[in-house]
């Protein structure tokens, strides 16, 4: 029987929701095709997450634990995934397309001599072949891709699938992986974290995104206030991460993150294709821009033509009223 | 430090295109140097200007890719390698990685630099594959590079923060365009590039097993991405339209 193995990523002590989306989808494929749905967790406290993971239907969960997996390091993750692949012998390994995944996917494919397709927006598997759709050309075109291999590796954009609980009692299999100093030729010196307790943009229900129109502290304060009223995450265009106004981890778009919240409010963003590539799948898009011809209005459900300094104070007040 | 930067010729994303019966028709004349690779070239130039060393580039592509190589030479790279293809091969990332690994196997270098992804496909696989094939330590998605005591210090954009990673040489790094603003070649650079050496090779020169290059990842057809339905645009008195849209988000869109 073929096995679909989902890599469940842990970040900052939490399961990445996008990996549970992938696991939910793998469970549906497995059920439809009479295949096994399994998961792997690699983290210093991997076992503590198995209860949450089995809710999504994994019949077997491999855990790899140890100090080496406290922080993301490609050398240790590669070693662990290689070992788990040997033990589990999956036909397919599915990943959420996080930065952690992107860091190892190519190397893992070369190591396992596997077929691979990255960053898909949907996929299916018939036991030997993956058929997938992936956006290309800054998300202007959708490509249909076929991939074979043993195994096939697939990484999936966040928000591509809904979470679907499917409680199962999983067999937990601990896999021993020791990472020796020789395995890690790269040294992780330190992690410079984004300031404050920022909301994970991939999991945010609402995002307020700032662009070059957000010019000063006054405008930044309006963005923060709007985000807090909506309990939204703050995102930014490249214009503002590049100039250091916002942390680079908040960049949305082709280089940055791909997001699909229920509500996306673009403030002072022109709507370059490299930006919209990362947010065009949001459910409701609001754009605030003083240029009536800005391309962002072509994809906005609600376009407000005006100066953000004049629009935002009233907009925020009105939302506060509605929320109360 | 000796850098070899792997650069790709990509179709210009702004060029008009058509999709007919699942086939993608684009103006093959409009190509550019992949933006991420331009940043990789720029950073290699900055670091060698500061610490000494030189920068070479390698590109796998059709005859037209010689323009892409010239662009990198005009920016300041010293030498180019052009691994020629017909342009109609069905290679995937793994095929390119194997060709590059085989080309690099007898070259001397300290740092191999790649783009973190290709602007047309966004795959982001080739760099990691080459690192694995050549058994090199590597880091991806670099937003900053420094050289310290013969080591490469990479600032990498991770999921929630930046990781500072130290790599011994030889090593491999993949670069984000968030790292720098690539220089635009000036006239002097463009003139100089015409005299710089470009070595031409073929895939068969490299002794790569042709069957190993067979793509396992194949694009079978293309579809246009459905456009979002046009929404409503509000113009007028700022306070009025701000209030109106806030109301609609509640009553019509149901997202508050
Ligand atoms: C390979 C590649 C990858 C890229 N990746 C990304 C990416 O991941 N994310 C990304 O965002 N970009 C990316 N870019 C850059 C992208 O092409 C644009 O340059 C960028 O998105 C522009 O940011 P912006 O809209 O904030 O700025 P601008 O294009 O300068 O737009 C500013 C907008 O603000 C409006 N404005 C100004 N003042 C006000 C005011 N007071 N009130 C209301 N509106 C106002 C203006 O009318 C204008 O429309 C990439 C580019 C390349 C080549
Ligand atoms: C529209 C389109 C979609 C495609 N989709 C896929 C797909 O989903 N999967 C797949 O396997 N193949 C795909 N292909 C085939 C594609 O030609 C190769 O995968 C691709 O050229 C290899 O690079 P990449 O785009 O995968 O690069 P990435 O892995 O995204 O490239 C990363 C870096 O590798 C280096 N690099 C890549 N190609 C070269 C080169 N030719 N010469 C020198 N350096 C290079 C550059 O430094 C580049 O920045 C597609 C081709 C097209 C035209």
């Amino acid at each position: 029987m073929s096995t679909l193995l989902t890599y469940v990523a842990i970040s900052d002590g939490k399961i990445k929701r996008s990996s549970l989306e992938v696991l939910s989808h793998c469970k549906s494929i497995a059920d439809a095709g009479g295949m096994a749905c399994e998961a792997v967790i690699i983290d210093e406290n991997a076992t503590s997450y198995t209860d949450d993971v089995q809710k999504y239907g994994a019949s077997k969960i491999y855990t790899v634990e140890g100090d080496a997996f406290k922080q993301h390091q490609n050398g240790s993750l590669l070693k662990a995934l290689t070992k788990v692949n040997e033990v589990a012998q999956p036909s397919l390994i599915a990943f959420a397309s996080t930065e952690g995944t992107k860091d190892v996917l190519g190397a893992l494919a070369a190591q396992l001599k596997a077929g691979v397709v990255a960053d898909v927006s949907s996929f299916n598997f018939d036991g030997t072949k993956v058929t997938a759709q992936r956006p290309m050309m800054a998300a202007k075109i959708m490509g249909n891709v076929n991939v074979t291999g043993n195994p096939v590796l697939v990484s999936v954009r966040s928000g591509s699938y809904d979470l679907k609980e499917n409680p199962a009692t999983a067999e937990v299999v601990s896999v021993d992986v020791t990472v020796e100093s020789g395995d890690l030729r790269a040294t992780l010196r330190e992690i410079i974290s984004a300031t404050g307790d920022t909301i994970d943009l991939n999991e945010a229900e609402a995002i307020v995104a700032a662009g070059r129109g957000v010019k000063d502290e006054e405008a930044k304060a309006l963005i923060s206030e709007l985000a807090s009223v909506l309990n939204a995450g703050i995102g930014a265009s490249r214009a503002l991460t590049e100039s250091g106004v916002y942390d680079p981890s908040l960049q949305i778009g082709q280089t940055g993150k791909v997001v699909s919240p229920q509500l996306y409010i673009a403030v002072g963003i022109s709507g370059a294709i490299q930006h919209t590539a990362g947010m065009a799948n949001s459910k409701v898009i609001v754009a605030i821009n003083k240029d009536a011809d800005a391309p962002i209005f072509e994809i906005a459900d609600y376009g407000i033509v005006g100066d953000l300094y004049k629009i935002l104070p009233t907009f925020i007040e009105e939302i506060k009223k509605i929320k109360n | 430090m000796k850098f070899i930067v792997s650069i790709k010729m990509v179709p210009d994303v702004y060029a008009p295109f058509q999709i007919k019966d699942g086939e993608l028709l684009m103006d093959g004349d409009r190509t550019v140097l992949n933006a991420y690779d331009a940043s990789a070239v720029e950073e290699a130039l900055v670091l060698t200007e500061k610490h000494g060393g030189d920068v070479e580039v390698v590109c796998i592509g059709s005859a037209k890719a010689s323009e892409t190589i010239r662009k990198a030479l005009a920016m300041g790279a010293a030498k180019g390698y052009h691994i020629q293809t017909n342009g109609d091969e069905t290679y995937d990332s793994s095929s390119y990685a194997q060709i590059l690994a085989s080309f690099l196997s007898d070259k001397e270098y300290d740092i191999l630099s790649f783009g973190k992804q290709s602007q047309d496909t966004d795959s982001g696989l080739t760099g990691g594959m080459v690192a694995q094939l050549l058994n090199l330590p590597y880091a991806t998605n670099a937003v900053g590079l420094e050289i310290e005591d013969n080591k490469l210090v990479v600032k990498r954009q991770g999921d929630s923060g930046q990781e500072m990673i130290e790599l011994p040489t030889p090593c491999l790094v993949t670069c984000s365009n968030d790292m720098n603003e690539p220089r635009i070649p000036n006239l002097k650079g463009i003139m100089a590039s015409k005299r710089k050496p470009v070595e031409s090779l073929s895939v068969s020169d490299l002794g790569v097993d042709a069957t190993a290059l067979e793509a396992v990842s194949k694009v079978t057809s293309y579809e246009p991405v459905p456009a979002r339905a046009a929404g409503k645009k509000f113009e007028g008195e700022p306070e009025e339209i701000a209030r109106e849209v806030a109301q609609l988000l509640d009553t019509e869109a149901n997202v508050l």
Side-chain angles (χ1 to χ4, degrees), chain A residues 158-237:
Chain A
S158 79
S160 300
Y161 292 102
D162 292 332
L163 290 184
K164 200 155 72 213
E165 290 203 15
N166 219 321
T169 310
E171 177 192 348
V172 176
V173 180
S174 151
V175 179
D176 267 340
V177 178
T178 39
V179 178
E180 284 133 32
S181 53
D183 297 325
L184 283 183
R185 288 163 299 164
T187 317
L188 178 63
R189 282 191 183 170
E190 61 171 325
I191 298 177
I192 313 161
S193 288
T195 44
D197 49 346
T198 44
I199 298 174
D200 185 337
L201 291 174
N202 289 129
E203 304 188 0
E205 293 285 315
I207 293 176
V208 177
R212 204 189 308 273
V214 173
K215 287 196 178 67
D216 51 19
E217 289 303 319
E218 183 191 343
K220 264 187 94 174
L222 288 168
I223 295 290
S224 300
E225 197 182 352
L226 179 57
S228 117
V229 172
L230 292 166
N231 193 24
I234 295 181
S237 76

Side-chain angles (χ1 to χ4, degrees), chain A residues 54-111:
Chain A
Q54 67 182 2
K55 283 193 204 135
Y56 294 88
S59 60
K60 199 185 269 185
I61 302 173
Y62 297 91
T63 56
V64 181
E65 290 190 321
D67 283 348
F69 307 106
K70 205 172 184 147
Q71 276 144 345
H72 170 83
Q73 279 185 284
N74 57 27
S76 27
L77 188 53
L78 273 171
K79 190 164 182 193
L81 285 167
T82 305
K83 183 70 190 289
V84 171
N85 176 64
E86 234 171 76
V87 177
Q89 308 258 322
S91 310
L92 176 142
I93 311 180
F95 302 77
S97 192
T98 62
E99 287 305 337
T101 293
K102 290 178 186 177
D103 195 27
V104 297
L105 198 63
L108 185 67
Q111 164 95 350

Side-chain angles (χ1 to χ4, degrees), chain A residues 11-12 16 72 74 78 98-111 114-119 133-149 157 185-194 230 238 241-242 247-249 251 254-257 262-263 265 272-274 279-286 292-293 297-306 310-311 314-315 318-319 321-323, chain B residues 11-15 17 19 24 26 36 39 93-94 116-126 128-133 135-141 143 148 151 153 155-168 176-181 215-226 228-250 252-256:
Chain A
S11 172
D12 300 327
K16 280 268 189 194
H72 170 83
N74 57 27
L78 273 171
T98 62
E99 287 305 337
T101 293
K102 290 178 186 177
D103 195 27
V104 297
L105 198 63
L108 185 67
Q111 164 95 350
V116 58
V117 58
D119 232 22
Q133 283 210 313
R134 59 190 313 277
M136 292 164 178
M137 300 298 286
K140 287 206 292 193
I141 300 173
M142 196 60 91
N144 293 306
V145 185
N146 282 355
V147 196
T148 52
R157 294 180 154 216
R185 288 163 299 164
T187 317
L188 178 63
R189 282 191 183 170
E190 61 171 325
I191 298 177
I192 313 161
S193 288
L230 292 166
R238 178 147 182 256
T241 53
E242 204 177 24
D247 189 85
S249 51
Q251 181 169 319
Q254 190 178 13
T255 297
K257 290 194 161 86
Q262 294 295 307
L263 173 63
I265 306 185
I273 54 168
Q274 296 89 354
M279 48 65 75
N281 283 328
S282 305
K283 183 156 171 277
V284 173
I285 298 174
V286 177
D293 295 325
F297 288 127
E298 288 160 26
I299 63 160
D301 301 287
Y302 300 95
I304 308 181
V305 183
K310 296 200 181 115
I311 300 286
T314 319
F315 191 60
E318 195 63 23
I319 291 174
K321 269 192 225 153
I322 295 167
K323 287 249 173 193
Chain B
D12 180 354
V13 293
Y14 294 105
F17 68 88
I19 294 171
L24 176 63
M26 279 193 90
Y36 300 92
S39 282
S93 305
S94 163
K116 80 151 171 152
Q117 69 201 50
S118 162
Q119 215 176 336
D120 55 341
T121 67
D122 292 336
S123 306
L125 295 168
T126 312
M129 286 175 166
V130 172
Q132 185 66 36
L133 293 171
N135 194 23
L136 294 173
Y138 74 96
T140 62
N141 201 9
V143 292
E148 285 175 25
K151 294 202 165 86
V153 180
K155 188 201 263 184
R156 155 173 203 278
Q157 182 62 51
D159 281 301
S160 52
Q162 281 119 37
E163 298 155 13
M164 298 298 288
I165 301 163
E166 184 182 293
L167 297 171
S176 169
N177 60 339
D178 286 343
M179 190 146 68
N180 53 41
E181 205 51 64
V216 294
S217 175
K218 295 189 181 100
V219 184
T220 51
S221 64
Y222 297 91
E223 290 169 24
V225 172
R228 282 182 79 99
K232 297 180 197 158
K233 212 148 127 188
F234 299 80
E235 292 182 73
E237 187 55 42
E239 294 186 0
E240 241 164 65
I241 53 178
R243 238 177 252 125
E244 195 180 346
V245 173
Q247 289 293 344
L248 287 171
L249 289 181
D250 182 35
E252 188 179 80
N254 255 322
V255 285
L256 290 189

Side-chain angles (χ1 to χ4, degrees), chain B residues 77-134:
Chain B
K79 178 173 181 182
Y81 296 93
H82 186 174
I83 304 174
Q84 299 245 11
T85 59
N86 296 326
D88 57 2
E89 293 86 351
T90 48
Y91 289 155
D92 60 9
S93 305
S94 163
S95 328
Y96 285 100
Q98 290 180 60
I99 297 170
L100 288 168
S102 149
F103 163 77
L104 291 162
S105 60
D106 63 355
K107 294 283 172 300
E108 302 236 340
Y109 53 82
D110 299 299
I111 299 165
L112 295 180
S113 195
F114 281 70
K116 80 151 171 152
Q117 69 201 50
S118 162
Q119 215 176 336
D120 55 341
T121 67
D122 292 336
S123 306
L125 295 168
T126 312
M129 286 175 166
V130 172
Q132 185 66 36
L133 293 171
L134 296 174

